[in-house]
């Protein structure tokens, strides 16, 4: 007998037929003698609608009331699934879904978009589950988004660290926090498709998790490690350039201090000597949704920073190459820059860590860049 947490995403629960399909996946596990906890998302599109209503009601809304409204989507699917499971003769009861409780007020709280992934992992840890199965609309984690690159390949296994980078750099197949939590507690997470017929899948058996989907696990459980495992892209960044900033000590602090005080995260930073040779141009990225606030903060700090003008654009995309193999292989970056140059793609900014390289480019080149790099590192499916 295994203890299994099963999480189903919005597309998998989009209507009653699909909820019945989900129930059949659950029944397969229960019939095999496994102990099951299920975590559900809201029906696809519902959370977007709820968020839109909240914003329409007031742009500056109370966060607790946002949570109260947005948490209702999961309550619907949890209740409906419990009803369907009961009608199949299973003992089922619904509880609160991607929600949690805000400790101070005892009111309902949510874990952000994609938060049911994190609920599922947290519940799996609390129940000491043998596996946390994330059922979605693709049959695993791919080398890159399979909807952009048809030649993307499914990864049978991916390390926590690589998955964490992929998620935080734009591969929204798992919420970043869910991967973080799984990594800290060494919870095995599997990504599977709910669209495989329920009776075509074997029930979970401890020690036999490897034939389908993707297992997110420790690096040393992966025998065949590639230098580059995946490519991610994120369209939600915006770039800001401060033109002709006085080039003197302390200027970076005067720019990034006020932004930090306003809780605005700065990601990539590049500094160039300005054409006049005396000043410097400072380019950096922020979340596109934070751009108006960032510009306001910079305007207020203009006299203190001492710059000539500011330019901003949200037409940029961050493309990242990820792989733990980069720790021991040189030349991954050089190869990347050369390949992009050959396609005429200009790099606006670069950032690196031990296991990833990110470049900021014009949004128009996003797909070309992802496809080029996918081929370059030998990831295309045959
Ligand atoms: P759910 O509603 O089930 O949570 P999501 O939309 O959050 O589903 O995540 C699944 C989607 O993630 C897929 O439809 C796919 O387009 C996208 N995706 C992005 N990058 C990847 C990747 N590297 N591998 C698999 N899917 C990816
Ligand atoms: Mg999701």
């Amino acid at each position: 007998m295994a203890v299994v947490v099963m999480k189903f995403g919005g597309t998998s629960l989009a209507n009653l037929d699909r909820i019945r399909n989900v129930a059949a996946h659950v029944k397969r596990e229960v019939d095999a003698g496994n102990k099951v906890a299920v975590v559900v998302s809201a029906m696809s599109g519902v959370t977007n609608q709820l968020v839109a209503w909240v914003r329409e009601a007031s742009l500056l809304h109370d966060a607790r009331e946002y949570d109260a409204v947005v948490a209702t989507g999961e309550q619907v699917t949890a209740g409906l699934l419990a009803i369907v499971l009961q009608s199949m003769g299973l003992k089922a009861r619904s509880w609160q879904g991607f929600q949690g409780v805000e400790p101070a007020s005892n009111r309902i709280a949510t874990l952000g978009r994609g938060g049911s992934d994190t609920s599922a992992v947290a519940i799996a840890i609390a129940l000491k589950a043998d596996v946390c199965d994330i059922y979605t609309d693709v049959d695993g984690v791919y080398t890159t988004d399979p909807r952009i690159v048809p030649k993307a390949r499914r990864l049978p296994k991916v390390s926590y660290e690589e998955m964490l980078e992929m998620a935080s750099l734009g591969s929204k197949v798992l919420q970043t926090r869910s991967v973080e939590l799984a990594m800290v507690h060494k919870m095995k997470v599997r990504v599977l498709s709910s669209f495989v017929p329920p009776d075509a899948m074997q029930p979970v058996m401890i020690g036999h998790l490897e034939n389908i989907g993707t297992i997110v696990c420790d690096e040393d459980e992966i025998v065949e490690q590639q230098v580059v495992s995946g490519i991610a892209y994120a369209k939600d960044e915006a770039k800001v350039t401060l033109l002709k900033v006085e080039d003197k000590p302390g200027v970076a602090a005067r720019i990034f201090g006020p932004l930090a005080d306003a809780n605005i995260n700065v990601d990539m930073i590049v500094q160039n000597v300005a054409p006049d040779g005396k000043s410097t141009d400072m380019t950096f990225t922020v979340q596109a949704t934070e751009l108006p606030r960032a510009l306001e903060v910079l305007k207020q700090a203009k006299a203190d920073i001492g710059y000539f003008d500011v330019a901003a654009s949200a037409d940029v995309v961050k493309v990242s190459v990820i792989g733990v193999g980069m720790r021991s292989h040189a030349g991954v970056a050089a190869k990347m820059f050369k390949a992009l140059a050959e396609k005429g793609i200009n790099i606006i900014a670069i950032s690196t860590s031990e296991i990833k390289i990110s470049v900021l480019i014009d949004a128009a080149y996003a797909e070309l860049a992802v496809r080029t790099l996918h081929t370059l590192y030998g990831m295309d499916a045959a």
Side-chain angles (χ1 to χ4, degrees):
M1 183 214 69
V3 177
V4 185
V5 170
M6 307 170 80
K7 180 260 170 176
F8 295 90
T11 327
S12 308
L13 295 153
N15 53 48
L16 270 174
D17 276 344
R18 292 206 181 149
I19 291 176
R20 289 200 182 91
N21 174 66
V22 162
H25 280 288
V26 175
K27 185 170 190 301
R28 176 192 66 234
E29 299 301 328
V30 175
D31 287 350
N34 289 332
K35 287 195 164 174
V36 180
V38 185
V39 174
V40 289
S41 298
M43 289 181 181
S44 61
V46 166
T47 303
N48 284 345
Q49 174 66 75
L50 295 169
V51 170
W53 277 332
V54 170
R55 293 204 175 127
E56 200 182 320
S58 167
L59 261 185
L60 296 173
H61 44 258
D62 182 295
R64 289 284 80 79
E65 297 308 335
Y66 170 99
D67 284 349
V69 175
V70 170
T72 58
E74 280 71 15
Q75 216 158 312
V76 173
T77 44
L80 289 174
L81 180 61
I83 291 170
V84 172
L85 287 169
Q86 288 170 5
S87 74
M88 293 168 142
L90 300 184
K91 272 173 71 185
R93 176 63 70 213
S94 74
W95 303 91
Q96 304 296 290
F98 81 129
Q99 308 95 327
V101 172
E102 208 259 331
S105 65
N106 228 11
R107 289 183 59 87
I108 207 161
T110 69
L111 301 175
R113 300 307 298 269
S116 40
D117 294 338
T118 302
S119 291
V121 172
I123 287 170
I125 292 162
L127 297 176
K128 298 189 168 60
D130 295 290
V131 66
C132 178
D133 279 343
I134 307 282
Y135 286 81
T136 182
D137 53 7
V138 282
D139 67 347
V141 177
Y142 279 68
T143 46
T144 192
D145 190 342
R147 296 187 201 283
I148 298 292
V149 180
K151 285 181 181 167
R153 273 191 294 114
R154 181 172 57 84
L155 297 163
K157 287 185 176 179
V158 64
S159 67
Y160 291 120
E161 276 187 75
E162 286 167 318
M163 193 63 237
L164 192 58
E165 291 280 11
M166 284 173 75
S168 68
L169 294 168
S171 306
K172 294 203 171 103
V173 58
L174 289 175
Q175 194 198 34
T176 307
R177 285 164 90 183
S178 73
V179 186
E180 232 161 26
L181 198 59
M183 181 161 99
V184 170
H185 294 271
K186 296 201 181 299
M187 173 54 61
K188 268 203 171 74
V189 173
R190 246 184 350 169
V191 177
L192 304 165
S193 169
S194 72
F195 292 93
V196 173
D199 53 7
M201 278 169 72
Q202 294 295 317
V204 170
M205 268 173 62
I206 300 170
H208 294 84
L209 298 173
E210 317 214 335
N211 301 321
I212 49 167
T214 296
I215 303 183
V216 189
C217 60
D218 250 345
E219 196 179 319
D220 32 283
E221 289 180 47
I222 304 175
V223 192
E224 279 181 50
Q225 193 60 257
Q226 310 296 320
V227 179
V228 172
S229 305
I231 297 174
Y233 66 94
K235 292 182 169 165
D236 52 1
E237 299 218 5
K239 77 166 172 175
V240 178
T241 302
L242 290 181
L243 300 159
K244 291 201 209 163
V245 184
E246 278 176 61
D247 199 5
K248 58 184 183 199
V251 67
R254 281 202 298 280
I255 296 172
F256 299 115
L259 290 168
D261 292 342
N263 254 321
I264 296 170
N265 272 324
V266 172
D267 182 17
M268 307 169 104
I269 303 174
V270 239
Q271 192 176 349
N272 285 325
V273 178
D276 66 8
K278 283 179 239 143
S279 57
T280 165
D281 286 352
M282 188 78 90
T283 298
F284 53 89
T285 62
V286 296
Q287 286 284 301
T289 49
E290 297 283 24
L291 182 59
R293 250 169 22 94
L295 293 176
E296 186 55 36
V297 169
L298 292 167
K299 201 169 122 193
Q300 282 174 17
K302 184 168 184 190
D304 192 40
I305 299 169
Y307 61 87
F308 170 68
D309 203 0
V310 55
S313 159
D315 282 339
V316 288
V317 59
K318 184 170 69 175
V319 176
S320 308
V321 164
I322 297 137
V324 289
M326 281 185 213
R327 285 198 205 108
S328 47
H329 283 78
V332 178
K335 206 171 153 183
M336 177 182 194
F337 303 153
K338 183 162 175 273
L340 294 176
E342 278 167 8
K343 295 281 177 188
I345 301 171
N346 185 39
I347 298 172
I348 303 163
I350 301 168
S351 70
T352 64
S353 80
E354 212 188 7
I355 65 163
K356 68 106 179 175
I357 305 157
S358 301
V359 295
L360 191 73
I361 60 172
D362 268 349
Y365 293 111
E367 291 186 14
L368 177 64
V370 172
R371 290 203 176 112
T372 301
L373 297 173
H374 199 265
T375 306
L376 180 72
Y377 296 108
M379 289 188 279
D380 287 354

